[in-house]
Amino acid sequence: MEGGRRTPWVWLVALGGLAFATACASADEPLPGESDSRPASRSSRDSSEMDRSNVSDDGSDEQSHPGAIPYEYVSDHGRPYLTPGALEEPPVYQPPLPEDPGVVVLRRLNRLEYNNTVRDLLGTALTPADGFPDDTDSDFDTSAQALTISPIHARQYLAATEVLLDDLYTSPERLATVVDCDPVAEGRVCAEGIVARFAFRAWRRPVSDSQLKPLFSLFDVAESQEEDLATGVRLALQAALLSPHFMFHVELDEDPNSSEPHALSEYELANRLSYFLWSSMPDAELFADAESGELSTDAGLESAVERMLADSKAEALVDSFAKHWLLLDAMEKHIVDPGAFPAFDDELKLAMIHETRLFFADFLQKDRPIPELLTTRLAFVDARLAAHYGLDYSGANFSRVNTSDSVRIGLLTQGTILTATSGSAQTAPVKRGRWVLKNLLCSAPPPPPPDIPALEEEDDGSPKTLRERLEAHRSDPSCAGCHQLLDPIGFGLENFDAVGQYRTEYEGQPIDASSAFVDGRSFETPEEMARLLSEDPALKKCVTQQLLSFALGRDFGKGRDDDRLWIGATSQAAGEGAGLASTIRAVVMSDPFRLRRGQEESP
Amino acid sequence: MKRTLDPRMSRRLLLGGAGVGLCLPWLPSLSRRAAAEEEGAPPRFLFYYIPNGVHLPKFIPTSGGTDWALPEILDSLEPVRQQINVWSGLQNVPELVTAAHHITGGSAMLTFTAPSADDLVLDVSVDQLIARQISTGTRFESLQLRTAGDTNPAACDDGIPCAYTDAISWAGPRAPLAPLTDPATVFEQLFSGFDPNATEKEQEKRRILQSSVLDAALSQAESLRPKLGVADQRKLEEWFTSIRTVEQEVMRVPEMPDANSVCAPPEMAPVTPTFKDQVQAMGNLMALAFECDLTRVITYQIGRTGSDRNYSFLGVAGNHHSISHHGGLQENYDMLTTINHFEVETYSYLLQRLNSSTNSDGSSLLSSTMAMLSTDVGDGDEHSQYNVPIVAAGQFGGRFATGHHLDLSGATHGSVYITLLQSLGLEIETFGQGATGTVELPTT
């Protein structure tokens, strides 16, 4: 890793007893996990006219860009942050094929996928993956990089298959769906049939004789141990569940060393689709669509998406995609300081999480336009949450309420978002700003620096608000680059404390929520800020990008042609009103979702 | 506020009520005849990782040699005072570290390797090398445990893989060993699959059937390999190696019980989700795993690297990582001291349990163990990877003397690991990135 480029860094540090303040400093070295070339990589590129000569195959630039716009003023997609004009209208999608769909790496089932798959495969109510090591990572838990396998996993897999089969064999009705003839009475043909039919479903694709042979060999092992053929069948079922064909999302390349894009096989497409929308295996109908060839037609694929989104299994998107995207997971783990907020308890926390889940599901089911995520005046609350928010609702159950007369507007004023981006006792404006930039606009500033000195207390004796200290801090030009992007959003939300309750003052000082984005657009209230953000064309694109990252298990946006690919997908969605469901549909119809390629052998 | 953990409480946690479980049938497969080794009790290695550095002035003894007083943070170690060493001044700084951060410190902790930019690569960790030397005959070559429930603002939501903060043991450059975090799952893994009434023949049959099933699964990899690219093959290899490891574990023939063994696995009772109970349950499970000789190598993280756990149950306001950026404020020093004191107390609890368990040669389990406690950085505010102390308990089966405070300034954690590996007969001269040579540790 070569140093040399001086990058302004942002980082959160504790400031005395305060939870989060900010400080930043110049650092000569990038942080582990951050490529040296990354920040400037797209600054010199235009989305529609790309010079490939300076881009390597893995998507990283190999040349530096001495004349490039300083990174801090430029978003990942090559336009100044929050500057209107550059891309106000989605560009017209022109498919200059072949585009590079990027490399999708073999990944295993994550915990949710494992549980859902065995539910649909075996009809079990057990969720054996709950005890597997945590898959949660910095990205979606479909990220191939994060889904490692160790002997600890393998032990758990072995134990899980035993538990699952014990469970199956205690339920005659369910067992009959798998073991549908009597191997002891009918012999080997019956036994092989059971195993072959099961392997097809468990492996979610047609199975060859040579792949079945090792399973059939377990019949002989059983015999040699003086066990009957029924035991042999059970052993084979267990082996099928331990097979890499079960454990992985298998997608094959005829020529794994060729980077020429090719269409996924129909069964592979069926699997991508069902794990994207359901976090589970395809059902019989989807298998039939794959078998008939229906799925490879645009019309067939579209109607499959319609059907699957309408199925209750699509609620998995809340537990998979929204869990990470909208901080449901982070909120669950978030700890609020009981000293600072004695009234905050698990009931309130769960209510907040439930609100965000219902909110996301509502957008999904109704295909509500994405900008409304930030501006809707509808909230989902129960009495407890309503009281916390200062809303007038006393029903015990969750209900949709109109918040037109309140300060609550859209996602940004929800307890989940406001709390999970705070410290345990105090707000963290920079963290809030960073979350909005990263998850809603896909233009986060660089990750934290390796090391920074703590922000010095001003010692002129006069008390300063956090905002005043941050602003003083921004007078340092090397800090300003990042902080002028991060801080305004954080300031705009300062009327909401670390558990999302509205406030007009903090520690005796009035809160000033007015600020301005770097392009000059200013706002006075959280509502005005939310409206400005909702108008940013980056929002729609970012949602598409997040969905693609989740669906493909790779960090979408880093690949060579990702810019063009997701702009294409967004344009399609925009034509249909840019609702959340439409965007999901567009993602499925997009090239990166339907194509794959191998990877040239690298040293 | 200080709380003391009573070692006598140990069983109650796992037993879930008075008297239950102690009379469980003896599980013959569980207790290997550890002491059957002719040289005496087998060595064991344990690493107890605490995140965010420590408040050094209350951690490092003020004098060296054997005549020193336990500093405030370590005072709960009094009952095992003669069984511990403190090694101060050590550097947790691999050659390729270019900047100090929790992630670099946590990554280097057992690997002495700097994390790779934009990728998930470290190197094999010392505990794994030790395990391959001393633990291959046990049911599990090694165990990795962590207590969950803490957030981590230092990494993990910034595109940096969580494995750098959530795992300290690495089987190889791309193989982080994700720890188990749920005590009930750990218990299940340690003690499942054993039928105390099974005859030897039945057990043999079970081994054959299980390993045949795993074998059948392993052979499936063959049909996949030719149509997978390099990155895919790497993932498949991870899976293959892991299943293979388990197959070998399954095939091991357990030995007859050692009459002197203290292994008596009780029923696992539900553990409350409170952090304190979770840590104590993990302590009990670690002791149990050693007592039953299920493994000889364990690494434990009381939290993730950069953990921002809330310690309000100790009367501490704010979160651990934030507090560790103390800014030179006394109130933060005090809170750090309280947190560190608690952490060491939980470690002491485990040491006392090991000290009261005996090997069949009459020696204490602790004496045959090397049970280290350390942290990613020294001073948390600076993220300094210099002056990162180790508390090293146990004589590692007579290999090292205890009771010493040594100032090892200038030496690295890597060279300490080389010393340990050599003491086990491994011909290793370098470790990780740039560690060479050994440190001079008093021997018995």
Side-chain angles (χ1 to χ4, degrees):
Chain A
M1 131 168 88
E2 297 292 311
R5 185 176 49 78
R6 293 186 71 79
T7 310
W9 293 103
V10 184
W11 185 222
L12 312 168
V13 293
L15 176 65
L18 295 175
F20 282 99
T22 64
C24 78
S26 296
D28 288 334
E29 302 295 341
L31 189 69
E34 197 242 343
S35 136
D36 217 11
S37 61
R38 178 170 134 194
S41 63
R42 286 182 195 88
S43 58
S44 64
R45 279 196 252 160
D46 180 281
S47 311
S48 55
E49 294 174 6
M50 212 166 38
D51 175 12
R52 288 193 184 167
S53 63
N54 61 358
V55 181
S56 72
D57 250 12
D58 63 4
S60 66
D61 288 10
E62 284 172 337
Q63 297 174 6
S64 61
H65 299 274
I69 312 166
Y71 170 70
E72 61 268 30
Y73 300 109
V74 182
S75 73
D76 269 4
H77 39 83
R79 71 187 177 82
Y81 279 111
L82 304 172
T83 304
L87 276 177
E88 272 185 332
E89 294 302 320
V92 179
Y93 180 46
Q94 296 166 333
L97 290 171
E99 279 160 334
D100 177 9
V103 176
V104 171
V105 174
L106 185 70
R107 63 185 164 88
R108 63 168 167 83
L109 301 179
N110 65 28
R111 296 201 298 189
L112 177 69
E113 291 169 341
Y114 190 101
N115 280 338
N116 287 354
T117 304
V118 297
R119 176 199 66 201
D120 294 343
L121 180 67
L122 302 168
T124 185
L126 300 177
T127 53
D130 292 354
F132 295 178
D134 195 356
D135 294 327
T136 310
D137 201 29
S138 50
D139 299 313
F140 291 103
D141 55 15
T142 53
S143 160
Q145 178 179 272
L147 292 170
T148 57
I149 301 178
S150 69
I152 291 177
H153 291 93
R155 282 175 207 136
Q156 297 290 314
Y157 297 154
L158 179 61
T161 56
E162 286 177 352
V163 170
L164 286 166
L165 289 174
D166 282 348
D167 174 61
L168 178 70
Y169 275 75
T170 54
S171 159
E173 309 87 65
R174 280 169 43 217
L175 183 61
T177 65
V178 176
V179 179
D180 50 7
C181 55
D182 182 353
V184 176
E186 299 170 44
R188 191 112 179 173
V189 173
C190 153
E192 291 186 358
I194 293 168
V195 172
R197 286 185 292 278
F198 183 75
F200 168 80
R201 293 185 63 234
W203 300 352
R204 315 178 288 276
R205 70 195 60 249
V207 178
S208 71
D209 288 349
S210 64
Q211 289 166 341
L212 289 170
K213 231 173 129 188
L215 302 185
F216 296 162
S217 73
L218 290 165
F219 303 158
D220 305 324
V221 172
E223 202 183 329
S224 74
Q225 293 297 309
E226 293 157 3
E227 294 286 343
D228 62 15
L229 197 50
T231 303
V233 166
R234 186 181 153 138
L235 294 174
L237 299 182
Q238 191 182 7
L241 290 173
L242 286 163
S243 161
H245 294 288
F246 172 80
M247 286 306 311
F248 285 101
H249 297 286
V250 175
E251 294 175 0
L252 301 175
D253 294 308
E254 276 313 312
D255 179 359
N257 297 327
S258 160
S259 53
E260 197 64 38
H262 63 86
L264 289 172
S265 80
E266 274 151 352
Y267 280 91
E268 288 167 352
L269 184 58
N271 276 286
R272 265 199 196 177
L273 186 56
S274 74
Y275 282 95
F276 176 31
L277 302 183
W278 291 347
S279 293
S280 187
M281 60 182 286
D283 62 359
E285 201 170 337
L286 190 57
F287 276 138
D289 288 349
E291 184 59 35
S292 68
E294 192 62 23
L295 206 57
S296 62
T297 66
D298 284 0
L301 186 56
E302 266 171 19
S303 73
V305 176
E306 285 317 313
R307 179 181 75 82
M308 291 172 75
L309 281 177
D311 192 296
S312 63
K313 281 196 266 185
E315 282 168 24
L317 280 162
V318 180
D319 292 307
S320 55
F321 176 71
K323 182 184 87 170
H324 176 78
W325 185 49
L326 298 184
L327 296 171
L328 301 175
D329 198 37
M331 182 61 174
E332 208 171 297
K333 291 177 183 161
H334 186 80
I335 292 165
V336 167
D337 188 332
F341 299 101
F344 189 92
D345 57 13
D346 277 353
E347 186 187 284
L348 184 57
K349 181 197 259 193
L350 291 176
M352 289 177 173
I353 292 174
H354 197 58
E355 175 197 20
T356 304
R357 293 174 63 95
L358 290 172
F359 180 83
F360 177 84
D362 188 56
F363 269 78
L364 187 61
Q365 282 153 12
K366 303 213 170 73
D367 197 18
R368 297 178 63 184
I370 285 166
E372 283 184 21
L373 283 169
L374 304 185
T375 58
T376 182
R377 287 300 199 171
L378 291 172
F380 295 86
V381 291
D382 62 359
R384 178 79 198 275
L385 195 54
H388 186 73
Y389 285 171
L391 297 171
D392 185 21
Y393 174 73
S394 53
N397 295 322
F398 271 82
S399 175
R400 183 193 308 264
V401 299
N402 189 311
T403 64
S404 298
D405 297 332
S406 86
V407 293
R408 301 287 155 178
I409 176 165
L411 194 58
L412 295 180
T413 58
Q414 285 182 10
T416 299
I417 306 297
L418 292 165
T419 306
T421 56
S422 292
S424 62
Q426 284 180 297
T427 61
V430 177
K431 215 170 164 183
R432 285 179 174 173
R434 190 163 200 286
W435 183 80
V436 169
L437 290 179
K438 186 182 177 203
N439 286 41
L440 299 182
L441 302 179
C442 291
S443 54
D451 201 8
I452 47 156
L455 185 57
E456 299 281 329
E457 283 274 10
E458 305 285 335
D459 58 356
D460 63 2
S462 63
K464 295 261 195 302
T465 64
L466 182 57
R467 175 171 182 148
E468 283 167 340
R469 273 179 290 173
L470 280 169
E471 279 177 342
H473 181 56
R474 271 163 68 192
S475 61
D476 179 340
S478 72
C479 300
C482 294
H483 279 272
Q484 65 188 351
L485 304 169
L486 294 160
D487 297 357
I489 298 171
F491 293 156
L493 295 172
E494 267 298 277
N495 278 129
F496 298 93
D497 68 16
V499 292
Q501 223 160 5
Y502 189 73
R503 61 185 182 181
T504 53
E505 57 176 50
Y506 178 62
E507 288 184 344
Q509 311 221 25
I511 284 167
D512 174 10
S514 68
S515 193
F517 296 131
V518 67
D519 59 24
R521 288 176 301 160
S522 63
F523 53 84
E524 297 294 322
T525 62
E527 178 185 346
E528 285 179 27
M529 182 185 76
R531 291 200 185 283
L532 290 179
L533 288 170
S534 76
E535 291 159 9
D536 194 304
L539 176 63
K540 280 190 277 186
K541 289 199 198 76
C542 186
V543 176
T544 317
Q545 185 169 342
Q546 299 279 347
L547 285 163
L548 276 162
S549 293
F550 166 72
L552 301 177
R554 72 180 177 92
D555 191 352
F556 198 86
K558 282 186 175 173
R560 188 183 73 185
D561 287 353
D562 285 355
D563 284 7
R564 287 195 297 172
L565 290 167
W566 63 256
I567 287 170
T570 312
S571 308
Q572 273 198 9
E576 299 166 39
L580 187 56
S582 306
T583 307
I584 287 172
R585 221 172 285 132
V587 161
V588 172
M589 302 308 291
S590 73
D591 281 348
F593 193 84
R594 297 163 81 175
L595 303 179
R596 68 170 278 121
R597 71 165 170 92
Q599 204 177 5
E600 278 146 52
E601 204 85 56
S602 62
Chain B
M1 192 191 331
K2 286 171 194 167
R3 289 146 199 253
T4 309
L5 300 171
D6 179 356
R8 286 167 305 180
M9 292 289 288
S10 61
R11 288 290 155 86
R12 196 182 301 165
L13 233 177
L14 287 166
L15 290 172
V20 182
L22 270 179
C23 302
L24 275 185
W26 183 256
L27 307 185
S29 338
L30 296 181
S31 176
R32 302 173 46 79
R33 201 169 37 183
E37 291 197 1
E38 301 194 352
E39 313 80 46
R44 288 136 177 137
F45 180 80
L46 185 139
F47 196 89
Y48 205 99
Y49 175 77
I50 60 176
N52 294 327
V54 291
H55 185 46
L56 292 166
K58 297 277 174 72
F59 192 98
I60 310 288
T62 48
S63 55
T66 53
D67 183 22
W68 45 280
L70 285 166
E72 183 178 343
I73 290 173
L74 304 186
D75 65 14
S76 62
L77 291 166
E78 183 55 40
V80 286
R81 164 73 176 76
Q82 293 311 316
Q83 277 78 46
I84 63 166
N85 290 307
V86 178
W87 300 332
S88 58
L90 286 163
Q91 301 174 12
N92 183 25
V93 189
E95 209 165 63
L96 299 184
V97 158
T98 50
H101 191 266
H102 289 295
I103 298 153
T104 54
S107 297
M109 194 80 261
L110 291 172
T111 65
F112 206 66
T113 304
S116 165
D118 231 9
D119 201 350
L120 184 60
V121 186
L122 279 180
D123 207 342
V124 64
S125 54
V126 63
D127 56 295
Q128 292 300 297
L129 294 179
I130 292 174
R132 288 166 201 172
Q133 187 72 1
I134 67 173
S135 194
T136 52
T138 55
R139 175 133 193 257
F140 306 108
E141 200 169 287
S142 63
L143 282 183
Q144 292 77 36
L145 308 173
R146 177 164 61 80
T147 298
D150 49 346
T151 54
N152 176 359
C156 223
D157 63 351
D158 282 303
I160 296 162
C162 294
Y164 284 137
T165 61
D166 293 7
I168 51 173
S169 291
W170 288 61
R174 289 180 183 277
L177 296 170
L180 288 176
T181 56
D182 171 28
T185 305
V186 176
F187 185 85
E188 190 63 26
Q189 183 165 109
L190 289 177
F191 298 107
S192 71
F194 287 93
D195 177 0
N197 300 315
T199 64
E200 251 184 73
K201 196 171 168 227
E202 285 164 343
Q203 289 185 27
E204 172 70 6
K205 179 193 277 189
R206 187 185 157 81
R207 278 194 293 278
I208 291 174
L209 295 181
Q210 275 206 330
S211 68
S212 304
V213 164
L214 290 163
D215 229 24
L218 284 167
S219 69
Q220 302 283 339
E222 294 312 319
S223 62
L224 280 175
R225 276 201 190 94
K227 290 185 175 176
L228 296 178
V230 264
D232 292 355
Q233 291 206 20
R234 213 147 53 202
K235 285 283 170 195
L236 188 64
E237 263 341 287
E238 273 179 30
W239 171 86
F240 192 88
T241 318
S242 302
I243 298 279
R244 168 75 81 214
T245 304
V246 173
E247 192 202 11
Q248 287 162 353
E249 288 173 0
V250 165
M251 277 308 282
R252 269 173 218 145
V253 182
E255 290 169 23
M256 292 303 291
D258 169 5
N260 290 325
S261 170
V262 294
C263 171
E267 294 273 15
M268 181 72 186
V271 179
T272 72
T274 64
F275 173 57
K276 206 175 149 184
D277 286 352
Q278 293 276 314
V279 175
Q280 194 177 28
M282 284 297 196
N284 290 331
L285 287 163
M286 287 190 268
L288 210 49
F290 277 172
E291 285 165 1
C292 298
D293 206 23
L294 294 168
T295 188
R296 292 173 190 168
V297 173
I298 302 174
T299 58
Y300 171 61
Q301 293 177 265
I302 203 168
R304 316 162 78 180
T305 294
S307 168
D308 216 12
R309 194 183 296 282
N310 186 284
Y311 276 90
S312 53
F313 72 96
L314 296 177
V316 167
N319 298 351
H320 192 175
H321 174 255
S322 307
I323 295 167
S324 76
H325 286 283
H326 49 70
L329 297 178
Q330 188 58 44
E331 58 168 330
N332 285 335
Y333 288 150
D334 293 345
M335 291 195 286
L336 264 184
T337 302
T338 304
I339 292 172
N340 293 156
H341 188 272
F342 170 81
E343 291 170 327
V344 172
E345 222 172 30
T346 65
Y347 168 67
S348 174
Y349 167 79
L350 171 59
L351 297 185
Q352 290 175 59
R353 258 204 76 163
L354 295 177
N355 201 33
S356 60
S357 292
T358 48
N359 295 306
S360 57
D361 65 0
S363 63
S364 81
L365 228 154
L366 181 58
S367 72
S368 55
T369 303
M370 169 61 71
M372 288 181 164
L373 172 141
S374 192
T375 177
D376 53 339
V377 293
D379 183 291
D381 199 20
E382 299 168 14
H383 290 151
S384 170
Q385 285 171 240
Y386 293 85
N387 199 6
V388 183
I390 292 176
V391 178
Q395 300 174 346
F396 211 17
R399 287 168 178 78
F400 303 106
T402 48
H404 295 260
H405 167 220
L406 296 179
D407 181 353
L408 296 174
S409 290
T412 64
H413 284 232
S415 51
V416 168
Y417 300 152
I418 294 171
T419 313
L420 295 188
L421 292 166
Q422 288 190 359
S423 79
L424 294 170
L426 279 157
E427 289 173 14
I428 279 182
E429 302 295 333
T430 62
F431 182 76
Q433 292 168 344
T436 54
T438 57
V439 291
E440 210 164 301
L441 301 175
T443 51
T444 46

